[in-house]
Amino acid sequence: MKALILVDIQNDFVPGGSLAVADGDAVIAVANRLMPSYEFVVATQDWHPADHQSFAREHDGFSVGDVIKLDGLDQVLWPAHCVQGTRGAELCADLDRNRINEIVRKGTDRNIDSYSGFFDNGHQKETVLASLLRKRGVTSVDVMGLATDYCVKFTVLDAIREGFATRLITEGCRGVELKEGDCKRAIEEMCQAGAKAATSEGKTGAR
Ligand code: VGL
Ligand code: ZN
């Protein structure tokens, strides 16, 4: 049984949001088109406390894009985004919510970031995602959403580690691209780890 994982399709990650991904809203139509062909659809939701330590404003003298050590891990500093209960944290309104079976929240611990829908960045705490999938008898997952080079990438890498046959729906992804080539490298890394890259039509391609 196959599931679709929609990664962080939230207001703050689309144009107009605080951590807007270029053309990020283009993934909404792809999600809406694909959802009816899956028996199980899970959406992840980045869900940070207002003082989350991935926010640049929490660190005097540092700016967005700087990298600091947070509890021993490299942490990119972001603009405040997806703060619990704010409009920016809501799933995009145009996303067909009725088709989403479960929502998995992540990034709730102020001291550690969580790009993956499965684990925090230190791989210490697990979310309910893997157990939700297993309970439903899911053995393969298709993954798409925002952003290619962060949350999609780490969700895909963990899905593979967790033993799911994993496909990346490239046309349904857009990236942050802090550095030019980040998205291309992320897709290569996912494929190297065992993901199959495919558009919904089954063609392979990168974007
Ligand atoms: C994301 C940066 C910070 C993402 C989330 O959804 O890719 N990126 N938080
Ligand atoms: Zn975040």
Side-chain angles (χ1 to χ4, degrees):
M1 153 115 148
K2 188 177 228 176
L4 179 66
I5 302 178
L6 303 176
V7 178
D8 296 5
I9 306 180
Q10 294 169 260
N11 291 327
D12 270 340
F13 295 126
V14 298
S18 65
L19 181 35
V21 171
D23 200 31
D25 50 345
V27 309
I28 298 169
V30 180
N32 288 343
R33 174 159 51 80
L34 292 184
M35 282 192 276
S37 20
Y38 293 82
E39 284 167 273
F40 193 52
V41 179
V42 187
T44 66
Q45 188 175 29
D46 214 29
W47 191 251
H48 297 310
D51 61 350
H52 196 259
Q53 297 300 296
S54 73
F55 298 169
R57 69 181 184 191
E58 294 294 307
H59 305 275
D60 284 340
F62 290 90
S63 317
V64 169
D66 287 347
V67 179
I68 62 160
K69 283 283 180 200
L70 193 57
D71 221 11
L73 295 176
D74 278 346
Q75 174 67 53
V76 179
L77 294 180
W78 303 108
H81 65 278
C82 299
V83 172
Q84 297 172 6
T86 64
R87 191 180 165 274
E90 288 170 18
L91 296 187
C92 293
D94 292 342
L95 196 59
D96 194 352
R97 291 284 305 271
N98 298 328
R99 299 262 180 199
I100 298 172
N101 301 104
E102 298 280 354
I103 295 174
V104 173
R105 290 176 169 168
K106 63 187 180 64
T108 54
D109 180 337
R110 86 184 268 276
N111 294 310
I112 190 158
D113 214 350
S114 187
Y115 293 145
S116 162
F118 291 94
F119 285 93
D120 62 64
N121 288 2
H123 255 257
Q124 298 300 309
K125 283 192 197 140
E126 204 176 345
T127 69
V128 295
L129 181 52
S131 72
L132 277 178
L133 294 171
R134 291 199 181 100
K135 233 182 276 168
R136 291 284 189 129
V138 172
T139 50
S140 61
V141 295
D142 287 356
V143 183
M144 57 159 284
L146 305 170
T148 315
D149 36 357
Y150 288 93
C151 291
V152 170
K153 175 176 121 176
F154 287 96
T155 299
V156 162
L157 295 178
D158 278 345
I160 296 165
R161 280 171 72 150
E162 289 293 306
F164 297 101
T166 306
R167 243 168 36 124
L168 173 72
I169 311 286
T170 51
E171 69 164 333
C173 297
R174 294 294 184 278
V176 178
E177 196 85 351
L178 270 184
K179 281 199 297 288
E180 199 188 320
D182 277 355
C183 289
K184 186 169 170 280
R185 280 188 292 273
I187 291 169
E188 284 166 1
E189 201 179 326
M190 290 184 260
C191 291
Q192 211 109 66
K196 297 271 179 286
T199 68
S200 56
E201 283 81 35
K203 293 174 284 190
T204 57
R207 69 177 77 185

